[in-house]
Amino acid sequence: MGADVPVHGSAQVAQKPLPSGVAPRSKAGLTWWQRVGEPALVVLCVIGAWELLTRTGVLPAKDLPPATVIGAAFIGDIQQSRVWEALGATLTSWAVGLAGSILVGIPAGLLLGSSQLAYRLFQPSLEFVRTIPSIAALPLLILLLGTRGYQLAAAMTFLGAVWPIMIQTMYGVRDVDPTTMDAGRAYGLGPFQLFIRIVLPSAFPYIATGLRLGAVVGLLLSVAASLIAGGTGIGFLIVNASFSGVPELVYARIVLTGIVGLGVTLTLVAIESRLLFWHASRRRTVT
Amino acid sequence: MTRLRGIAIGLVVPIVFFSIWWVLSERSTSPYFPPLRRTLTAFVDIWFFARFFTDLLPSVGHFLSGLTLGLAAGVVVGTLMGLFPRFNRDVAPMTEFVRAIPTAALVPLGLILFGTGFVMETFLISLAVFFPILVSTTAGVRGVDPVYLEVARSYGLSFSDRLWRVIIPAAAPQILAGCRVAIAFGLAATVIANMVASGSGLGFFIVDAQTSFRLPDMWAGLIMIGLLGYLANTAFVVVEHRLLGWHRGWRGATRAASAA
Amino acid sequence: MNKLWLALMKGRAFALGVAFALLAAFPNSDANADDHVVFGTVPIAGTAAAWVGNEAGYFKEAGIELEIADAVQFANIVADVMAGTYQFGTVSVGTAAQAIIEGLPIKIVANTYHSAGEQKLMVLSNGPIKTIADLKGKHIGLGGLNNNFQAGIISQMKEAGVDPSTVTFTLISPPDLPASLRNGVVDAAQVNEPGIVGAGTDFTPVIAEPFKPFGERPCNNYVIVRADWAEQNPEIVKRFLTAYNKGAELAASDKEAVIRAVMSFSEIPKETLEKMTMPGFGSDLRQDSFQATIQGMYDLGFLKRLVTVEEAFWSP
């Protein structure tokens, strides 16, 4: 995804005007075939290749079912309410965990970004904590929370999402252009006004990116929690199909998980570029 | 001097954290929260002696080979996706789709294709590493200032010169930033690959300790994961300094990217 | 013991923070007259007794509103029972023993299922391994390590003159074992139902009765509670057991009821279920097989010490 710029929406890019003569890439310049047709054809080719490899016995069809068999299982499966309930449970835990990480991450990030002392105290530790994979906490969280209900997946989402959001907010606040701040002060803005009018708008692209990163990682972890430990989510349904010895259903549900993840990512990217249309870094990177 | 002071200040939080942990856990009778003293004893006993060669070293080896492979693949494909918007549009649905599937769900596939052991774990780890690198490389290459490209073209640089001298260096900060994200993903995959299909390794050790309720051992395993992440990250910071000291946009990019 | 739980609860509150206060309110909100009880299982046929009893209405009769929750691993069920998110849970005999040895206050209250041929060590029918003796130097995939299954097959291998130290054991998640065997990842594998039916004639058992050293149809899985909870709520435990054991008896005599129950929580097709070897159900606690199994695991060094019947089983 071209629009999936991890974090580079930094202030320095934003201040640079677009070079004249280079047309911004935009959706409008593409035909339907370029935007949808050709990518769809690629997807079909991949599915076709899978079908061929399994039907000809290059891959063991009994354990890796052909695409058409998975497709049939998929269509049968999505007509059942248990799949939607499980998806609902996964997305609910995800939303709760994400809300928690926003409530904690943004204020903490603002604080760490605005205070030089706090930044220097905490930044190295944050860099350390960030490299510990959240999944490592799963055994501990299972002991603490058990596997029933929403708690475990929500806690995993929280753990995955809170760091990107916090750290991104922190760097966003720190990257506010000092000249703009000086100008603001010269215009007689108080600390609160400076915060609302300069710091927040300037850090906003960072925060938005942190939210998107956190949301995507959080969803992966929310699914992984029920996949590894159990509970009510879509991950458990994958395990259940697997325990039942029905591989086509296992892969149908994995495909469903992938599609949901894809949908969430695309939605978040779309929201982000909508919200940041005024921001130059976006204008250049939106596909 | 300022650098040393910076490090000293950065150490305050971990020292305070571990002291509080030590004091609070010292009298703990909860089996889930053993005294830190016991955890550290277990840590030393396990990782310095018995399990170093059987569990730790193989896992580190798998991690490094998976990281290397995933990195190489991610940079190559990401550069292609960044250079050719048409290619990007065509494969993005597939890459985004696979990226949204948790590694744990792909273990059975790896198992059937590659059996247990080195190849399967390297495959899963490199797959997990591949996506963050892919995304950041694509973004880095796409984000190269068109003015640079125009200038390079007008000076008559060949395509390969443009690629190696302009595009890759300009995208380097983002690629390296992606690497740091990838470390966490790769470590997670190392643990997961070995949680579900193996009889040794760091992930197996943690799960085995958890499922047989040897909780100080489990804590020792968790601390080891943290330590590995820290070491890998530190190594990358050193590489970044070396490679990118010259780069103007570097500071901003690393900072920003550390968030992911 | 109370202190411990107080400490744990404090730890929990601290760890959860503001964000999960919302969630904590969820589970305890029903003001029903019946006691709400959560029973944790993994989605295998062996856990059918609770479902059968629930479908027959035995729990309602006993004034218990039963919720059956899904887990993936037995050890996680212990964690849930300890955390109080489950009141009852089903765990394997080895997991129960490990937990007790490590000082977790759990007690066994009922039999979940006993072995009746639903788990076997299998090899490829057209492969080179024909007898136990052929397992020498081979690669064996198991659904769990250092458990009763491994203890049972090692003991039978020793009897057949195979040195177990020549054999490599690899942990593979149980549902992936048939595929691993079929694709040559391992030379022999623990295959559980529905994998045995699913494999058809591809596989043959090399050790058909892995648990034989522990007696006739030894009990593999038990229902556990947390000791202090059971002490405070002996009435609920007794009513639960009345209903549960009635369900287990019904499951033992009525295969159709078991099939219906399994279909309600799993995706196993009906044809497969009808052909499947069901695990054995019953209300007998089988303390003899518990002791034999623990002894067997201890002899191989899988357990740090023996566990006595007195410390393992609940007595009101």
Side-chain angles (χ1 to χ4, degrees):
Chain A
M1 291 277 96
D4 209 355
V5 181
V7 242
H8 209 41
S10 60
Q12 75 217 65
V13 179
Q15 286 152 17
K16 223 183 292 169
L18 281 175
S20 54
V22 182
R25 295 166 186 158
S26 75
K27 280 202 167 96
L30 294 172
T31 62
W32 178 87
W33 173 251
Q34 284 173 313
R35 259 190 309 122
V36 183
E38 209 172 86
L41 189 68
V42 173
V43 172
L44 281 178
C45 284
V46 172
I47 294 174
W50 178 263
E51 181 79 14
L52 205 68
L53 286 174
T54 47
R55 289 282 178 198
T56 53
V58 177
L59 292 175
K62 194 156 186 183
D63 302 306
L64 300 174
T68 42
V69 177
I70 297 176
F74 181 86
I75 289 168
D77 200 33
I78 55 172
Q79 289 165 15
Q80 296 198 4
S81 60
R82 66 193 299 177
V83 177
W84 298 106
E85 282 160 21
L87 261 183
T90 293
L91 292 174
T92 308
S93 331
W94 171 70
V96 171
L98 198 60
S101 57
I102 290 170
L103 285 177
V104 174
I106 292 184
L110 290 175
L111 186 75
L112 293 174
S114 351
S115 150
Q116 183 64 19
L117 180 67
Y119 175 79
R120 287 170 68 182
L121 278 173
F122 284 94
Q123 191 263 355
S125 305
L126 279 178
E127 288 290 331
F128 172 71
V129 171
R130 172 178 86 72
T131 47
I132 303 175
S134 311
I135 202 88
L138 189 62
L140 190 64
L141 287 175
I142 290 171
L143 294 180
L144 274 174
L145 303 175
T147 58
R148 175 173 172 261
Y150 297 93
Q151 288 98 317
L152 185 68
M156 284 301 285
T157 307
F158 175 83
L159 263 188
V162 72
W163 309 115
I165 294 174
M166 187 190 294
I167 295 176
Q168 193 72 7
T169 308
M170 176 177 87
Y171 287 127
V173 172
R174 286 183 63 82
D175 238 30
V176 174
D177 187 3
T179 343
T180 322
M181 287 293 273
D182 286 343
R185 281 196 204 96
Y187 277 106
L189 296 182
F192 182 73
Q193 288 283 330
L194 281 174
F195 183 75
I196 294 291
R197 297 203 173 188
I198 298 177
V199 177
L200 269 189
S202 160
F204 189 66
Y206 281 81
I207 300 176
T209 309
L211 284 177
R212 177 167 55 75
L213 291 169
V216 172
V217 172
L219 184 62
L220 267 172
L221 287 169
S222 169
V223 176
S226 65
L227 187 70
I228 297 174
T232 37
I234 185 77
F236 178 76
L237 282 199
I238 296 176
V239 175
N240 197 354
S242 167
F243 268 107
S244 304
V246 193
E248 59 270 27
L249 200 55
V250 174
Y251 287 98
R253 286 171 179 177
I254 290 178
V255 167
L256 182 64
T257 310
I259 292 174
V260 171
L262 180 66
V264 167
T265 310
L266 291 181
T267 313
L268 290 168
V269 170
I271 293 176
E272 196 184 353
S273 31
R274 221 18 87 78
L275 286 179
L276 296 178
F277 67 94
W278 47 273
H279 202 279
S281 75
R282 287 294 126 183
R283 262 181 261 147
R284 254 185 63 202
T285 48
V286 167
T287 329
Chain B
M1 274 323 274
T2 36
R3 212 180 136 64
L4 275 180
R5 236 184 94 206
I7 292 173
I9 293 177
L11 282 175
V12 170
V13 169
I15 289 171
V16 169
F17 175 77
F18 279 100
S19 312
I20 292 178
W21 184 357
W22 183 286
V23 172
L24 286 187
S25 67
E26 189 54 32
R27 287 151 153 251
S28 159
T29 49
S30 155
Y32 293 166
F33 298 96
L36 182 58
R37 194 170 34 79
R38 263 183 71 200
T39 302
L40 292 181
T41 316
F43 184 86
V44 172
D45 288 348
I46 292 161
W47 301 125
F48 289 7
F49 302 102
R51 303 280 190 153
F52 183 81
F53 290 104
T54 54
D55 295 77
L56 185 58
L57 223 49
S59 285
V60 172
H62 296 176
F63 169 63
L64 291 178
S65 53
L67 190 64
T68 315
L69 193 68
L71 229 161
V75 169
V76 171
V77 180
T79 306
L80 290 175
M81 283 173 76
L83 285 177
F84 307 108
R86 180 173 171 190
F87 180 61
N88 184 12
R89 280 196 306 272
D90 288 353
V91 300
M94 289 310 300
T95 57
E96 285 298 315
F97 167 74
V98 180
R99 194 158 81 101
I101 299 172
T103 312
L106 295 172
V107 171
L109 185 70
L111 197 62
I112 291 170
L113 295 180
F114 303 110
T116 57
F118 177 76
V119 180
M120 185 270 274
E121 294 190 20
T122 304
F123 162 74
L124 286 176
I125 296 163
S126 58
L127 197 65
V129 167
F130 176 72
F131 291 105
I133 307 260
L134 179 79
V135 168
S136 59
T137 307
T138 309
V141 171
R142 287 180 69 111
V144 174
D145 195 329
V147 176
Y148 295 170
L149 294 177
E150 285 300 316
V151 171
R153 218 173 263 137
S154 60
Y155 275 100
L157 260 62
S158 69
F159 176 75
S160 86
D161 275 348
R162 284 207 307 269
L163 180 66
W164 291 109
R165 299 202 179 179
V166 180
I167 295 170
I168 298 279
Q174 287 236 27
I175 297 176
L176 285 178
C179 288
R180 293 173 66 182
V181 180
I183 290 174
F185 277 64
L187 266 181
T190 310
V191 175
I192 289 169
N194 215 262
M195 270 181 181
V196 214
S198 73
S200 63
L202 183 56
F204 172 77
F205 177 80
I206 293 171
V207 171
D208 189 44
Q210 184 220 340
T211 53
S212 49
F213 313 101
R214 289 180 283 113
L215 301 164
D217 292 8
M218 180 194 84
W219 278 96
L222 298 183
I223 293 178
M224 182 45 96
I225 294 184
L227 194 65
L228 285 180
Y230 181 70
L231 291 177
N233 197 40
T234 311
F236 249 97
V237 172
V238 172
V239 173
E240 258 181 346
H241 271 272
R242 281 276 159 87
L243 288 181
L244 296 178
W246 54 273
H247 201 289
R248 277 193 302 143
W250 175 61
R251 259 198 79 73
T254 30
R255 274 180 182 185
S258 349
Chain C
M1 213 71 324
N2 274 341
K3 239 186 212 167
L4 191 160
W5 287 110
L6 210 65
L8 252 183
M9 290 304 152
K10 267 187 198 162
R12 262 177 96 181
F14 179 71
L16 289 179
V18 204
F20 306 111
L22 258 172
L23 282 166
F26 267 62
N28 308 320
S29 53
D30 42 275
N32 218 309
D34 285 352
D35 290 298
H36 183 87
V37 157
V38 184
F39 178 66
T41 61
V42 292
I44 57 172
T47 62
W51 300 83
V52 169
N54 205 25
E55 201 202 55
Y58 297 154
F59 288 94
K60 266 263 160 293
E61 277 171 29
I64 285 174
E65 188 200 350
L66 187 70
E67 176 191 333
I68 302 181
D70 299 309
V72 175
Q73 277 183 353
F74 294 126
N76 294 344
I77 291 180
V78 175
D80 270 294
V81 169
M82 292 291 289
T85 43
Y86 301 166
Q87 280 71 50
F88 296 86
T90 177
V91 303
S92 64
V93 54
T95 300
Q98 296 272 24
I100 292 166
I101 289 171
E102 296 298 332
L104 300 182
I106 58 154
K107 291 284 181 190
I108 294 173
V109 292
N111 169 347
T112 308
Y113 72 90
H114 51 262
S115 170
E118 80 296 339
Q119 302 179 34
K120 294 182 162 88
L121 187 75
M122 301 193 93
V123 292
L124 289 177
S125 301
N126 54 8
I129 302 170
K130 301 292 174 205
T131 64
I132 301 183
D134 298 335
L135 288 172
K136 185 166 182 271
K138 298 294 183 198
H139 187 186
I140 300 182
L142 298 180
L145 292 185
N146 302 342
N147 62 3
N148 54 334
F149 188 99
Q150 193 182 8
I153 62 167
I154 286 184
S155 137
Q156 294 183 55
M157 277 156 58
K158 280 180 173 167
E159 241 168 68
V162 178
D163 176 4
S165 66
T166 62
V167 175
T168 314
F169 292 102
T170 299
L171 173 75
I172 293 175
S173 141
D176 297 329
L177 279 163
S180 303
L181 180 56
R182 204 166 11 243
N183 295 290
V185 175
V186 289
D187 305 312
Q190 169 186 358
V191 180
N192 301 348
E193 290 288 19
I196 300 175
V197 170
T201 53
D202 294 358
F203 303 161
T204 357
V206 61
I207 298 181
E209 292 179 68
F211 307 106
K212 198 170 67 182
F214 313 131
E216 194 66 23
R217 295 159 71 87
C219 188
N220 272 354
N221 275 61
Y222 289 101
V223 178
I224 57 159
V225 290
R226 207 174 73 205
D228 59 328
W229 184 83
E231 219 167 277
Q232 287 155 16
N233 304 284
E235 272 314 301
I236 301 182
V237 178
K238 279 179 195 157
R239 276 188 281 137
F240 174 90
L241 288 178
T242 312
Y244 183 86
N245 287 330
K246 262 172 96 178
E249 292 298 338
L250 179 60
S253 60
D254 186 352
K255 190 178 174 183
E256 275 307 310
V258 175
I259 291 178
R260 272 200 311 277
V262 176
M263 283 180 69
S264 70
F265 67 82
S266 113
E267 311 283 354
I268 305 176
K270 193 156 197 279
E271 317 80 88
T272 310
L273 277 167
E274 277 160 357
K275 281 185 243 162
M276 248 169 75
T277 308
M278 289 296 173
F281 299 102
S283 55
D284 185 3
L285 272 175
R286 301 293 312 276
Q287 294 178 339
D288 54 329
S289 83
F290 177 83
Q291 270 179 311
T293 307
I294 296 301
Q295 185 73 48
M297 290 176 67
Y298 174 75
D299 290 343
L300 289 170
F302 292 174
L303 298 175
K304 277 194 235 167
R305 65 170 174 85
L306 289 170
V307 178
T308 63
V309 166
E310 291 71 45
E311 60 179 330
F313 288 84
W314 182 67
S315 51

